[in-house]
């Protein structure tokens, strides 16, 4: 008779009880020292599973029973044993680890923490702060950011870039002397505000992780989350700032504006969505097409009350719909392990597809759209998100949902806009697409057709849109606001960052 696998709670508690044999701060500092070891290659770094080490830090700091611990400091051998026990979780859980998951959803969950550590450094980390900094001084979001951080977004960018340049050079520890040259440009209280905005000491680390939602309840999806310490990627210890991991720092700076303001909920995301949409539409207007039509143009062609995408790029024979989606795509969406829950959490993506299907059918039923738009044989939809949400293309998205979740209300829409013509891509990839295609002399329809052809073959199919961009030789390219902000940082700090820029652009 087969023996049932233990529950996740049972496996977690066995690991926790083992960890309680040692002083918690010693585990945290040993994890920090382990992550500071520099493997010779990125592959070797991935094989250390740095996200699991940071999950250990989270769990140890959340355990209130360890506060009064007088246990001995952990030894390197015992630390490796804890790592191995965490590594063994999937084997102990058996088939539970992927019960009820569609294969593609399981792959998405499994690859999530690794993806964040594999992505390249990019100047795109300045994007959200630059968009916010460009707003009038009375903008509510700008004021909220300044109140929460005691920094203007541009001050944050300057000081973040000062650390960023050191991280790219391999530096892991930043003492007071690192900031001394900046005292000529920034007063000490602003530098201190930045330090406290991006770092915590050991006590602050415990307070932060214990304040997370459901901090007292541990669940299987935690095995697949990107480390929560992106919010504070630096640890203050012995008067110095210690970088947990270069990619944790980059991910933290990339999402810093979102992390700080998302505490406001809809009071943040609704106005930010408008700013994000404006940025996406501005980018789309730079594309070489026969014509770009915005939301108001499309609405004029359709029946009153019809919901429409943010824009449409018109080409002979092709329509390319553009829809922006800036949402509170938090880490729970990235590591969700249930198809129905995933469908619910990504409702915004389903809305975008249904909206495009409706527009696709109605503009052909009516007589008001330009002939080139009405007579186009094929449509595409690009859903541009404010972060990578690992949703792939429409066909893959449907495979991760419960059956028959994605079905057009107007059946004929599927003839022009099939699911394989729908792509969900991050703003980073959209900017690369917009500004990189002209460099290689390719237009949107031809490139998107090549993506569809590749995805039709399992050997060549891509789960992430950036894989298509790389395979197509599309260079890394950025919007004017990103390029301009990088140049402005160099000017404001009165320091050229040519060597740094070569590494990240």
């Amino acid at each position: 008779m087969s023996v049932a696998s233990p529950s996740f709670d049972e496996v977690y508690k066995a690991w926790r009880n083992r960890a309680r044999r040692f002083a918690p701060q010693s585990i945290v500092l040993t994890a920090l020292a382990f992550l500071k070891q520099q493997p010779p290659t990125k592959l070797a770094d991935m094989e250390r599973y740095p996200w699991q080490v940071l999950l250990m830090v989270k769990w140890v700091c959340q355990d209130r029973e360890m506060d009064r611990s007088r246990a001995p400091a952990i030894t390197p051998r015992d630390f490796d044993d804890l790592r191995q026990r965490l590594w063994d979780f999937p084997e102990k859980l058996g088939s539970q680890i992927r019960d009820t998951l569609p294969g593609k959803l399981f792959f998405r969950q499994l690859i999530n923490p690794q993806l964040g550590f594999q992505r390249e450094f990019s100047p795109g980390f300045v994007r959200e702060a630059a968009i916010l900094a460009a707003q009038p001084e009375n903008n509510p979001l700008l004021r909220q950011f300044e109140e929460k951080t005691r920094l203007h977004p541009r001050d944050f960018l300057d000081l973040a870039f000062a650390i960023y340049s050191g991280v790219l050079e391999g530096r892991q520890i930043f003492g007071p002397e690192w900031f001394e040259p900046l005292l000529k440009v920034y007063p000490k209280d602003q530098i201190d505000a930045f330090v406290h905005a991006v770092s915590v000491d050991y006590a602050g680390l415990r307070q932060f992780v214990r304040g997370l939602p459901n901090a007292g309840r541990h669940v299987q999806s935690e095995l697949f989350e990107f480390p929560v310490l992106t919010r504070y990627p630096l640890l203050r210890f012995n008067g110095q700032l210690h970088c947990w991991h270069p990619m944790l720092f980059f991910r933290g700076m990339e999402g810093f504006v979102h992390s700080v303001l998302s505490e406001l909920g809809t009071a943040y995301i609704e106005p930010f969505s408008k700013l994000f949409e404006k940025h996406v539409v501005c980018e789309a207007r730079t594309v070489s097409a026969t014509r770009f039509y915005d939301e108001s143009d499309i609405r004029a062609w359709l029946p009153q009350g019809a919901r429409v995408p943010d824009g449409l790029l018109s080409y002979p024979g092709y329509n390319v719909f553009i829809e922006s989606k800036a949402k509170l795509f938090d880490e729970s969406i990235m590591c969700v392990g249930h198809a129905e829950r995933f469908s619910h959490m990504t409702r915004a993506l389903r809305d975008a597809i249904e909206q495009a299907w409706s527009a696709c059918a109605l503009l052909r039923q009516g007589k008001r759209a330009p002939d080139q738009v009405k007579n186009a044989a094929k449509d595409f939809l690009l859903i541009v998100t404010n972060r990578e949400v690992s949703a792939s293309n429409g066909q893959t998205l449907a495979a991760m949902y419960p059956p028959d979740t994605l079905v057009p209300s107007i059946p004929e829409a599927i003839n022009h806009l099939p699911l394989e013509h729908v792509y969900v891509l991050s703003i980073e990839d959209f900017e690369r697409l917009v500004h990189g295609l002209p460099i290689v002399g390719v237009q949107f329809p031809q490139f998107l057709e090549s993506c569809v052809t590749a995805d039709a073959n399992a050997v060549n199919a891509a789960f992430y849109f950036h894989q298509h961009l790389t395979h197509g030789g599309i260079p890394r390219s950025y919007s004017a606001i990103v390029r301009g902000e990088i140049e402005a940082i160099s000017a404001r700090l009165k320091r050229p960052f040519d060597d740094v820029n070569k590494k990240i652009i």
Side-chain angles (χ1 to χ4, degrees):
M1 183 174 66
S2 62
V3 179
S5 299
S7 68
F8 176 82
D9 193 52
E10 289 171 328
V11 177
Y12 163 74
K13 285 181 177 178
W15 184 93
R16 178 205 64 189
N17 292 341
R18 181 75 178 180
R20 283 178 176 175
R21 297 184 182 186
F22 310 103
Q25 187 171 8
S26 73
I27 298 176
V28 171
L29 294 179
T30 302
L32 180 66
F34 173 83
L35 291 171
K36 282 184 180 177
Q37 299 170 15
Q38 295 190 345
T41 65
K42 180 169 282 192
L43 176 60
D45 187 29
M46 293 301 99
E47 290 174 342
R48 303 189 306 163
Y49 277 47
W51 52 92
Q52 286 192 348
V53 176
L54 289 160
L55 178 58
M56 288 169 54
V57 170
K58 173 190 170 186
W59 280 351
V60 166
C61 289
Q62 284 180 328
D63 189 352
R64 296 178 184 272
E65 291 298 317
M66 297 181 77
D67 287 355
R68 298 181 298 277
S69 174
R70 296 190 178 183
I74 196 167
T75 66
R77 181 175 179 178
D78 287 320
F79 182 77
D80 287 342
D81 177 66
L82 275 185
R83 287 179 56 226
Q84 184 63 49
R85 288 168 183 265
L86 182 53
W87 168 271
D88 290 341
F89 267 43
E91 182 180 344
K92 291 177 180 178
L93 292 169
S95 62
Q96 298 176 51
I97 205 75
R98 58 164 301 174
D99 279 354
T100 75
L101 267 72
K104 291 184 183 297
L105 184 57
F106 176 64
F107 170 77
R108 176 185 184 273
Q109 185 186 51
L110 191 65
I111 201 70
N112 177 57
Q114 184 175 335
L115 176 69
F117 281 92
Q118 283 183 317
R119 277 178 52 204
E120 299 291 335
F121 284 98
S122 160
F125 88 91
V126 309
R127 185 180 295 104
E128 290 188 356
I131 290 173
L132 194 59
Q135 305 312 307
E137 287 299 321
N138 63 350
N139 180 277
L141 291 182
L142 180 58
R143 292 204 309 268
Q144 288 282 358
F145 182 87
E146 291 178 316
E147 287 174 12
K148 283 181 169 289
T149 64
R150 294 186 292 129
L151 294 164
H152 188 277
R154 287 205 171 97
D155 299 333
F156 159 73
L157 285 175
D158 289 353
L159 296 168
F161 207 90
I163 296 283
Y164 190 77
S165 61
V167 170
L168 282 180
E169 293 167 359
R171 178 178 287 267
Q172 299 166 308
I173 300 175
F174 299 85
E177 73 283 352
W178 183 261
F179 293 99
E180 284 181 6
L182 296 174
L183 290 171
K184 299 175 183 178
V185 183
Y186 285 99
K188 186 176 182 300
D189 63 339
Q190 282 190 312
I191 294 177
D192 289 343
F194 170 78
V195 167
H196 283 82
V198 302
S199 71
V200 285
D201 57 15
Y202 176 63
L205 175 61
R206 291 189 301 172
Q207 182 180 6
F208 166 65
V209 296
R210 291 175 185 180
L212 296 170
N214 302 315
R217 185 174 69 90
H218 296 286
V219 293
Q220 191 167 286
S221 62
E222 289 181 274
L223 297 174
F224 308 108
E225 69 182 13
F226 193 82
V228 297
L229 290 187
T230 48
R231 176 61 186 86
Y232 295 104
L234 301 172
L235 180 70
R236 295 198 305 274
F237 183 70
N238 284 346
Q240 297 175 312
L241 298 177
H242 297 256
C243 180
W244 288 102
H245 190 282
M247 298 312 296
L248 190 77
F249 176 79
F250 172 52
R251 299 274 87 82
M253 296 302 96
E254 180 183 56
F256 184 77
V257 171
H258 179 80
S259 296
V260 168
L261 293 180
S262 61
E263 298 167 8
L264 301 172
T266 55
Y268 151 65
I269 201 59
E270 288 180 3
F272 181 77
S273 291
K274 293 182 173 60
L275 296 181
F276 184 75
E277 177 187 331
K278 183 178 179 181
H279 175 65
V280 171
V281 169
C282 182
E283 287 296 284
R285 288 186 185 279
T286 68
V287 175
S288 175
T290 302
R291 177 75 187 273
F292 174 79
Y293 297 98
D294 63 21
E295 186 177 352
S296 60
D297 295 323
I298 303 170
R299 185 173 286 112
W301 307 333
L302 304 182
Q304 188 172 3
R307 297 174 60 215
V308 300
D310 294 330
L312 184 156
L313 292 165
S314 175
Y315 298 86
Y318 295 92
N319 296 322
V320 180
F321 290 107
I322 308 291
E323 175 67 12
S324 68
K325 287 297 176 187
K327 296 293 178 184
L328 293 172
F329 293 120
D330 61 23
E331 195 59 24
S332 64
I333 291 176
M334 303 305 298
C335 55
V336 61
H338 191 280
E340 190 170 339
R341 188 160 177 255
F342 175 60
S343 172
H344 174 73
M345 297 173 79
T346 55
R347 175 75 222 192
L349 304 181
R350 290 192 287 134
D351 285 346
I353 296 172
E354 291 165 5
Q355 186 172 277
W357 270 335
S358 176
C360 164
L362 292 175
L363 67 82
R364 289 177 170 88
Q365 291 175 6
K367 299 180 180 180
R368 288 178 284 184
D371 288 342
Q372 181 168 286
V373 172
K374 287 189 300 183
N375 297 331
K378 295 182 180 181
D379 290 357
F380 287 93
L381 169 63
L382 300 181
I383 305 173
V384 186
T385 57
N386 54 314
R387 66 166 288 184
E388 174 62 68
V389 295
S390 301
S392 197
N393 60 36
Q395 209 167 36
T396 299
L397 189 62
M400 294 190 287
Y401 285 163
D404 300 323
T405 298
L406 279 177
V407 179
S409 57
I410 307 176
E412 57 265 31
I414 206 78
N415 297 329
H416 297 286
L417 182 57
L419 283 171
E420 56 266 33
H421 283 202
V422 175
Y423 284 95
V424 184
L425 63 163
S426 69
I427 182 60
E428 182 94 354
D429 289 344
F430 184 65
E431 289 187 9
R432 181 178 176 184
L433 181 69
V434 167
H435 299 282
L437 285 185
I439 296 174
V440 295
V442 177
Q443 288 197 317
F444 264 52
Q446 288 68 44
F447 181 77
L448 295 175
E449 286 278 24
S450 72
C451 295
V452 172
T453 300
D455 288 338
N457 184 329
V459 175
N460 300 319
F463 189 85
Y464 296 100
F465 196 80
H466 68 79
Q467 294 173 308
H468 285 303
L469 293 167
T470 300
H471 179 74
I474 310 304
R476 296 171 69 188
S477 308
Y478 303 92
S479 61
I481 195 168
V482 169
R483 297 194 308 271
E485 196 60 46
I486 294 293
E487 293 172 1
I489 290 170
S490 296
R492 289 195 298 268
L493 294 183
K494 298 179 172 58
R495 174 185 170 186
F497 287 102
D498 294 342
D499 291 342
V500 176
N501 291 343
K502 286 177 183 177
K503 294 180 181 179
I504 61 179
I505 296 180

